[in-house]
Amino acid sequence: MDMLILARRFTIITLFAAVFAVSFSAAVSRNAGGGAQSHFGANYTCFDTSTPFCRTIR
């Protein structure tokens, strides 16, 4: 009987963790679209938005 209760609690906790993980990843990926981007510690802003990659202006 105790194992059944523990299994039920573990299932509920796991489902809550999965819902939190999915909603957190959706929120992070939604807000990651613009602004300054970082590549190997160098912060720069995309000036050329016609290409899928950012290029710095020289």
Side-chain angles (χ1 to χ4, degrees), residues 9-57:
R9 287 180 182 173
F10 182 72
T11 303
I12 291 170
I13 291 171
T14 305
L15 288 174
F16 275 122
V19 169
F20 173 75
V22 168
S23 62
F24 184 74
S25 66
V28 168
S29 67
R30 182 179 300 157
N31 293 331
Q37 297 187 6
S38 176
H39 184 69
F40 296 113
N43 291 326
Y44 57 90
T45 303
C46 277
F47 292 107
D48 186 13
T49 57
S50 62
T51 61
F53 303 106
C54 290
R55 294 183 299 176
T56 57
I57 295 177

